[in-house]
Amino acid sequence: MVPVVPLLLSALAMTLIIGGRYLLSSGFFAWLTNRVRPRQYDSLQPQISKEIRWSLASAAIYGIPAGIMAWGWQNAGWTKIYTDINMYPFWYMPISLLVYLALHDTWFYWTHRLFHRPAWFQIAHAVHHESRPPTAWAAMSFHPVEAISGAVVIPALVIAIPIHVGVLAIVLLIMTVMGVTNHMGWELFPRWMVQGKLGQGLITATHHEKHHELYRGNYGLYFRFWDKVCGTDIGLGSFDSSSREQRGK
């Protein structure tokens, strides 16, 4: 029999960790925004308060499956997370990183497109798009229905695909950084990267900004692959004042 109390405690612990990670990461990039672009968020404080409330609720939803998998990894062998670096060839570690990112990106692309169907948008995804313009605090600002769709991905992957615990930490770091920086209202990465060959394949804030501007296209999370294959890549956005004013109407 699976012990209920330890599972609940593990879920609570992961909720606190995920919530703390959100506050630290979004708080850092919000602070950086205020340093780089002073007063950019000054008129958005009521919106930011909503983003934080929705995000902390999402942290609880993410924490439940994460906590269950964490307990199962430590106590029941439910996952394929490994700690012995010699268990698989060294080359498998970067391959597993790319596999996890590609599969997460695939899941995100197709569920994101689904949430832009009118019925699903009204049910759930409208919450995320209430952030106009998005801020560094909006990365986890989801309706619970949408949060559930995102919360199951990594737990499902660790059940199915072996991954070293250190590589998993890198996956979570990339997921956190890209989720926050894609929403903070300015481009962190240099222009040569965004507009060069790397930018043709990777998603940064300039690409995701176009999605928040037009509410269509640019559905990916890390890579532009599915958008390009499916004809939904609508190019790069803009952070100039006229674009923000138009989007806020």
Side-chain angles (χ1 to χ4, degrees):
M1 178 179 290
V2 176
V4 175
V5 173
L7 282 178
L8 290 176
L9 291 175
S10 183
L12 176 60
M14 288 305 299
T15 295
L16 294 175
I17 291 170
I18 293 170
R21 182 189 68 183
Y22 160 75
L23 292 173
L24 287 173
S25 58
S26 289
F28 170 76
F29 284 107
W31 170 83
L32 185 62
T33 298
N34 289 331
R35 292 294 300 269
V36 175
R37 296 196 168 191
R39 297 180 297 278
Q40 178 160 322
Y41 292 167
D42 283 0
S43 63
L44 301 174
Q45 293 309 310
Q47 173 185 307
I48 288 173
S49 295
K50 289 183 180 180
E51 291 170 349
I52 293 173
R53 289 197 296 271
W54 283 115
S55 294
L56 291 178
S58 295
I61 293 171
Y62 274 72
I64 294 171
I68 292 171
M69 287 300 102
W71 184 91
W73 167 47
Q74 292 287 337
N75 298 282
W78 290 349
T79 78
K80 294 189 175 181
I81 301 171
Y82 65 95
T83 57
D84 183 358
I85 200 170
N86 296 312
M87 184 171 289
Y88 292 89
F90 184 78
W91 56 260
Y92 178 75
M93 295 177 72
I95 294 298
S96 63
L97 172 65
L98 294 175
V99 168
Y100 267 65
L101 293 178
L103 291 176
H104 188 193
D105 185 72
T106 298
W107 175 263
F108 184 90
Y109 175 87
W110 289 105
T111 55
H112 195 184
R113 280 194 69 170
L114 174 66
F115 279 119
H116 273 269
R117 299 292 295 269
W120 284 102
F121 189 90
Q122 292 301 321
I123 290 170
H125 197 51
V127 166
H128 186 65
H129 277 278
E130 286 175 358
S131 296
R132 302 175 63 190
T135 76
W137 297 101
M140 291 181 64
S141 183
F142 302 129
H143 184 279
V145 170
E146 185 170 4
I148 290 170
S149 76
V152 300
V153 183
I154 301 300
L157 289 176
V158 298
I159 291 173
I161 302 173
I163 188 167
H164 187 271
V165 65
V167 178
L168 179 60
I170 295 173
V171 170
L172 296 175
L173 177 63
I174 292 172
M175 181 173 68
T176 301
V177 171
M178 299 310 293
V180 177
T181 60
N182 283 353
H183 289 91
M184 63 184 179
W186 57 283
E187 183 58 72
L188 175 70
F189 298 99
R191 181 176 298 181
W192 65 261
M193 172 182 165
V194 175
Q195 298 183 354
K197 289 186 177 181
L198 275 176
Q200 291 297 311
L202 299 178
I203 290 172
T204 66
T206 310
H207 186 265
H208 195 63
E209 179 75 5
K210 194 74 168 182
H211 171 78
H212 277 272
E213 179 184 344
L214 299 180
Y215 283 40
R216 62 176 176 82
N218 290 9
Y219 296 114
L221 178 61
Y222 306 122
F223 310 114
R224 296 174 69 170
F225 173 80
W226 284 111
D227 275 308
K228 290 189 174 183
V229 168
C230 298
T232 56
D233 194 301
I234 53 176
L236 302 180
S238 172
F239 295 107
D240 61 51
S241 58
S242 61
S243 298
R244 290 195 295 269
E245 290 170 2
Q246 182 65 32
R247 190 169 58 248
K249 292 181 179 179

